[in-house]
Amino acid sequence: MSTIEEIPSPIERVNIREQAYKSELERKINAEERKFLEFELKRTRSHHEKMNARVESLEILKHKPVLLINASDKGTMGQDWIADMDTELLDYFVKIQTGRNYVKKNFDYTKYIPYVFEYMFGFKKDDERFKKVSLVYGDQLPKDPSDYSLIIGTGGEINDFETQPQYLETKESLRDFFALSQSAKVPFVVTCATHQILGQLLHEKNGGTGSIVRNLKDKYGYPATESGIVKFTLNDGQKSFLTSGLDKEFFIMSNHGQYLQELPPGSESLAFNDVCSTQIIEYKDNGHTSGIGFQAHPEISNAILLLVQRYERAQVARKNGITNTSEIEVDTRPTYMVRENVFPRIFDLFLKKQ
């Protein structure tokens, strides 16, 4: 039986819990985690090298660069706990996603997102053929979209005005730019928030009223957030050169609470799941493919789960005052299929246009 002296004081209990929290965040990666991270690193490096070979073969990029519009808000993956994690884990993650080294000082993953697309589309660091604009960090959109061969739009919570009403002006500038790019017939690839913004714009330009962007619900009709590794199915009735290299079922990393509840005019669904029929959309202009939209995040490796799960485990450790390393699991389901099979074909959007 414990004596009164052996019972931790409230201050000691707080210290024990905070130490458990800190220990889990700082925990060195184990053999299983390292094996997975090495595999992902090798896979993404191989993809980058193949994409870079394609980039170097494209003469058009010398006078018409690609434009990346980073719509990610300042809160997404910019949390303080990121910088408190094991440095080796973060270095692996940043290298997998961007090909760059992790730099702890003032680290904010949202500022790395343009580098993610730069790397996954095969461009070298700060390549002049890949222009980057980050709206919520004060960058201005160019005046003439036709100066670019391809426009890439990223995700973020910028389109969710239940949580991000402060970005209304930013969203409107994005809409105006997309309207210009549509008139100029510039090919595009959009993900998550910009996928929704463009879809709503086309809905309205074609006489639609109301919003086709709705809060996500599960198959039973309850509010939902689709997060983590998600399985998608190709649409039997729709074949596309963009998705012809995919298996019937495949995985993508996803994180969203809103979606396009119906197809925008001039588009066709390429892939779906139980909660969203507009997961991958092919846009058409006079019968020709003009762009592709992803609700999910094909650019993201599921190595990100190691970060998220570690934070969740640290929160549990803080509550209970103990850590349990025997429960660590690594989800190795592949999420790179779209990157490897669809991304190279996106360049064909502007080559076919010539």
Side-chain angles (χ1 to χ4, degrees), residues 62-79:
K62 294 179 180 179
H63 57 90
K64 274 200 169 189
V66 170
L67 175 66
L68 184 282
I69 303 173
N70 177 25
S72 294
D73 59 278
K74 296 181 180 181
T76 306
M77 286 300 292
Q79 307 301 324

Side-chain angles (χ1 to χ4, degrees), residues 4-204:
I4 292 176
E5 289 76 16
E6 292 173 327
I7 299 174
S9 69
I11 293 176
E12 288 173 327
R13 286 197 294 271
V14 169
N15 289 338
I16 289 170
R17 288 171 179 170
E18 289 304 310
Q19 185 57 49
Y21 171 82
K22 187 174 182 229
S23 295
E24 176 57 28
L25 288 181
E26 296 178 347
R27 174 180 57 80
K28 299 301 179 184
I29 54 180
N30 62 28
E32 184 182 5
E33 290 171 320
R34 181 173 282 104
K35 180 181 179 181
F36 167 70
L37 291 166
E38 282 290 339
F39 177 81
E40 287 288 285
L41 184 59
K42 180 179 179 180
R43 195 97 196 196
T44 55
R45 279 176 174 167
S46 175
H47 169 73
H48 169 75
E49 289 167 4
K50 290 176 182 177
M51 290 291 285
N52 181 250
R54 186 83 199 278
V55 163
E56 296 303 329
S57 72
L58 298 174
E59 290 294 319
I60 187 176
L61 296 180
K62 294 179 180 179
H63 57 90
K64 274 200 169 189
V66 170
L67 175 66
L68 184 282
I69 303 173
N70 177 25
S72 294
D73 59 278
K74 296 181 180 181
T76 306
M77 286 300 292
Q79 307 301 324
D80 293 341
W81 54 266
I82 295 282
D84 293 333
M85 282 193 180
D86 172 38
T87 301
E88 185 182 15
L89 171 59
L90 288 172
D91 194 48
Y92 263 116
F93 175 69
V94 173
K95 283 179 179 176
I96 287 167
Q97 288 295 143
T98 69
R100 302 181 181 219
N101 293 320
Y102 165 66
V103 179
K104 183 170 184 176
K105 184 179 180 181
N106 299 323
F107 178 72
D108 183 345
Y109 182 66
T110 58
K111 294 181 180 179
Y112 275 61
I113 287 174
Y115 306 150
V116 172
F117 284 87
E118 179 182 60
Y119 187 66
M120 294 298 177
F121 272 90
F123 292 88
K124 298 293 187 181
K125 182 179 179 181
D126 298 327
D127 192 322
E128 284 298 311
R129 295 169 296 180
F130 192 88
K131 302 293 185 181
K132 301 182 285 289
V133 173
S134 292
L135 298 181
V136 299
Y137 287 98
D139 293 346
Q140 299 296 311
L141 288 164
K143 293 182 178 180
D144 189 356
S146 65
D147 289 339
Y148 301 91
S149 60
L150 178 72
I151 295 170
I152 302 172
T154 76
E157 292 186 48
I158 195 169
N159 196 42
D160 185 353
F161 289 99
E162 292 180 9
T163 61
Q164 305 283 17
Q166 67 270 33
Y167 296 131
L168 176 60
E169 185 177 344
T170 303
K171 178 189 171 184
E172 291 304 315
S173 68
L174 241 180
R175 282 170 57 90
D176 292 344
F177 183 79
F178 275 132
L180 289 174
S181 69
Q182 289 289 298
S183 297
K185 300 185 184 299
V186 182
F188 59 89
V189 51
V190 284
T191 64
C192 194
T194 51
H195 167 69
Q196 296 164 13
I197 290 170
L198 177 62
Q200 178 66 26
L201 172 68
L202 294 178
H203 170 69
E204 294 172 5

Side-chain angles (χ1 to χ4, degrees), residues 300-317:
I300 299 293
S301 160
N302 56 327
I304 197 172
L305 293 180
L306 295 187
L307 277 67
V308 175
Q309 290 170 354
R310 181 170 292 208
Y311 176 65
E312 290 172 347
R313 286 173 52 81
Q315 292 285 65
V316 173

Side-chain angles (χ1 to χ4, degrees), residues 185 238-241 265-268 282-291 349 352:
K185 300 185 184 299
Q238 177 58 31
K239 305 296 182 184
S240 171
F241 75 92
S267 68
E268 297 174 331
E282 181 177 16
Y283 290 88
K284 300 281 186 117
D285 181 19
N286 293 321
H288 299 288
T289 302
S290 56
L349 292 175
K352 290 176 180 289

